[in-house]
Amino acid sequence: MGNRRNFIKKTTLASTGIAIGATAFSAKSYGNILGSNDRIMLASIGVRGRGKGLMENFAQMYGEGVRIKTICDVDSSFLEERVALAASLQDNNRPGTATDLREVYDDKEIDAVIIATPNHWHALSTIWACQAGKHVYVEKPSSHNVWEGRKMVEAARKYNRVVQVGFQNRSISNVMQAMEFLHNGGIGEVYMARGTCFKPRDSFGISADTAPPASLNYDLWLGPAAYRPYNEKRGHYNWHWHWNTGNGDTGNQGPHQFDVARWGLNKNEHPIKVQSMGGIYGISPEECSQETPNTQTSVFEYADGKILEFETRGRYTNHEANLGIKIGNVFYGTNGWLEVNGDTWNAYKGRDTEPFAGSNMGAGAAIGGDTSFLTAPDSKGHFGNFIDGLRSGNPKDLNCDIEIGHTSTVLPLIANIAYRVGETLRFDGKTEKFIGNKEADAMLTREYREPYVVPTRV
């Protein structure tokens, strides 16, 4: 109990800007680089839905020196089921359980954590992990708002932690190949990128507020978010569609394609302008508590005039491009266009209707006779890449370091702000603030609920 109280005391101090474990974690632990034969101990935080999938993927790496030591979720009702699943994948080694992530951070044997909580917990759980000397794999979007995302970057750098964001396209060989093709001038100069998230969603209904289930620590589930009485329609998974905890589909499925769009444009900077419009169509507020739009069109302009478009459609719709894209990307260049659908891509010259290069065409036709760029880069996948980064201790070995993940996450976040204020907004990428719009600036952060406060000084 003494260790537990000390840890809680330290986390409270962290909310005022004092780092967790300032004395508990030495320079030796910060500088530790795991050897190729060292067993990497992981904790999986948030193990419903996507979290279950992440846990499975890492548990399957048991033979490569990876072990899930602890499974943590604020809802205890399915922990035993997840324990059994993990044990079946790692030679019957059963992980322990926790319902409070602070217990995980207090365990010095854990090297890294996998975070698949609701969006509003991503930033604080990552910052606390870095302060406690843990490396982090955090799901997309990397943060719930822009300001806390920058704090994640600062924490990773200050504590020399490896932090990977779950933009898995960054580690798919064929997608890596398509990006290299674009960057090598495969369709000329790319001047516009388009991302699509066409994912039909039906009404999930409406219900009265109730007491939370006995298995759920609701205070901890809310964490940094503003207090609202428990309502099952704002709880598990439905949190995506309420501003207090989620970011809608533009900030749910959308971040993957935002990331690919920015990658293809080769933009390692923020746009200077954003506008977004849409609404909730086909579902009435009397039948559903959804707050985020199910249909949304967003457009971004960069300093050199290049354009990034994004479209979210949550109702009945057609597909786009020759590959029948619903969730994917299209790029437009001065000499042609390119489509990406999952791990398949095709490129077209001018007005041609047949592709001249693509993932299924081998070396195909090439620019200036050079075919080398059409060889798909080697990839161990996003999870393997994270483990390699842990072993090297070098964030530069990651395919999606927190800085990359943050830059891509900013796009859907500021699109949602433009939608909510109903104006075209100008953005200063250096300060990560809007120009001349206090209402929009206020949405770049939030009021945090004690003691779950993202510190100004990480």
Side-chain angles (χ1 to χ4, degrees):
M1 282 297 291
N3 289 339
R4 176 82 180 124
R5 282 194 297 269
N6 289 339
F7 188 85
I8 292 173
K9 180 179 179 182
K10 285 183 282 184
T11 60
T12 302
L13 290 172
S15 71
T16 63
I18 300 173
I20 294 176
T23 58
F25 295 93
S26 65
K28 179 181 178 181
S29 66
Y30 285 139
N32 180 53
I33 297 176
L34 294 164
S36 60
N37 295 321
D38 290 336
R39 172 72 68 184
I40 293 177
M41 294 293 194
L42 302 179
S44 200
I45 301 173
V47 289
R48 289 181 65 90
R50 179 60 182 156
K52 176 187 175 185
L54 290 177
M55 184 199 74
E56 285 184 276
N57 277 282
F58 282 104
Q60 288 169 0
M61 300 173 71
Y62 182 78
E64 301 168 42
V66 176
R67 178 184 169 188
I68 304 290
K69 182 176 188 280
T70 306
I71 292 172
C72 177
D73 200 285
V74 295
D75 189 342
S76 61
S77 63
F78 52 88
L79 282 178
E80 182 54 36
E81 177 187 325
R82 298 296 188 266
V83 166
L85 174 60
S88 71
L89 297 170
Q90 48 186 35
D91 198 24
N92 291 322
N93 278 283
R94 290 173 61 85
T97 62
T99 56
D100 190 328
L101 76 174
R102 290 169 292 192
E103 297 176 23
V104 171
Y105 297 151
D106 209 21
D107 184 347
K108 295 179 183 179
E109 289 189 355
I110 291 175
D111 301 301
V113 295
I114 307 156
I115 297 171
T117 63
N119 296 356
H120 67 287
W121 256 111
H122 285 184
L124 188 58
S125 55
T126 296
I127 291 166
W128 279 359
C130 291
Q131 291 174 334
K134 315 300 183 190
H135 303 287
V136 179
Y137 182 104
V138 60
E139 258 305 316
K140 55 75 203 164
S142 55
S143 62
H144 184 255
N145 66 60
V146 173
W147 178 82
E148 67 184 19
R150 177 52 57 187
K151 296 299 155 183
M152 296 168 77
V153 177
E154 291 175 6
R157 300 297 180 254
K158 180 175 180 178
Y159 298 102
N160 193 27
R161 298 298 88 189
V162 171
V163 180
Q164 173 105 299
V165 180
F167 287 124
Q168 287 84 18
N169 287 294
R170 291 271 173 173
S171 299
I172 298 175
S173 292
N174 282 348
V175 178
M176 297 164 76
Q177 177 195 68
M179 297 301 103
E180 189 175 359
F181 180 84
L182 289 174
H183 297 167
N184 278 316
I187 57 172
E189 183 179 3
V190 180
Y191 58 85
M192 184 165 68
R194 177 169 172 78
T196 60
C197 173
F198 300 168
K199 205 164 189 177
R201 305 271 189 188
D202 295 325
S203 168
F204 53 83
I206 196 165
S207 66
D209 296 342
T210 64
S215 64
L216 177 67
N217 184 331
Y218 183 58
D219 177 74
L220 196 54
W221 184 90
L222 275 177
Y227 177 79
R228 296 180 74 176
Y230 175 79
N231 189 301
E232 65 173 344
K233 300 303 182 183
R234 295 194 294 262
H236 293 321
Y237 200 76
N238 291 335
W239 57 261
H240 281 294
W241 325 123
H242 299 89
W243 294 119
N244 194 36
T245 50
N247 306 92
D249 242 344
T250 294
N252 172 37
Q253 175 63 49
H256 287 298
Q257 280 61 57
F258 272 107
D259 181 55
V260 174
R262 184 180 69 82
W263 188 10
L265 279 176
N266 209 13
K267 290 296 181 187
N268 299 313
E269 62 199 68
H270 296 307
I272 61 169
K273 190 184 298 183
V274 56
Q275 58 181 328
S276 186
M277 62 210 75
I280 302 174
Y281 299 96
I283 298 174
S284 73
E286 288 76 24
E287 69 178 52
C288 185
S289 65
Q290 180 167 347
E291 297 170 345
T292 61
N294 63 9
T295 302
Q296 187 175 359
T297 297
S298 306
V299 182
F300 307 79
E301 181 183 349
Y302 285 89
D304 61 0
K306 293 184 179 181
I307 300 296
L308 192 157
E309 300 179 337
F310 200 90
E311 186 137 11
T312 301
R313 299 180 194 167
R315 298 300 287 167
Y316 319 118
T317 183
N318 59 312
H319 52 68
E320 292 192 359
N322 293 341
L323 286 173
I325 295 172
K326 288 191 174 181
I327 296 173
N329 293 85
V330 186
F331 298 89
Y332 302 91
T334 52
N335 298 331
W337 65 283
L338 181 146
E339 56 185 344
V340 181
N341 190 27
D343 63 354
T344 302
W345 67 274
N346 287 319
Y348 303 82
K349 277 185 180 177
R351 295 183 175 86
D352 291 352
T353 57
E354 295 295 324
F356 76 100
S359 52
N360 296 321
M361 298 181 67
I367 303 167
D370 178 14
T371 62
S372 61
F373 65 89
L374 284 173
T375 301
D378 291 333
S379 173
K380 295 183 178 180
H382 215 49
F383 312 118
N385 176 245
F386 176 59
I387 296 302
D388 284 349
L390 293 191
R391 295 203 184 280
S392 73
N394 187 355
K396 292 182 179 180
D397 290 336
L398 298 177
N399 289 338
C400 194
D401 169 65
I402 181 62
E403 183 78 60
I404 294 172
H406 172 66
T407 305
S408 291
T409 293
V410 165
L411 293 169
L413 296 181
I414 64 174
N416 279 337
I417 293 173
Y419 164 79
R420 296 178 75 179
V421 302
E423 296 182 27
T424 297
L425 301 173
R426 291 178 297 148
F427 194 64
D428 182 343
K430 291 183 178 179
T431 63
E432 295 187 334
K433 292 184 177 180
F434 294 104
I435 299 171
N437 196 307
K438 293 183 179 180
E439 180 186 5
D441 267 349
M443 295 184 184
L444 291 169
T445 185
R446 74 183 308 160
E447 291 291 329
Y448 292 93
R449 195 172 66 91
E450 294 281 357
Y452 311 105
V453 178
V454 173
T456 299
R457 292 185 296 112
V458 297

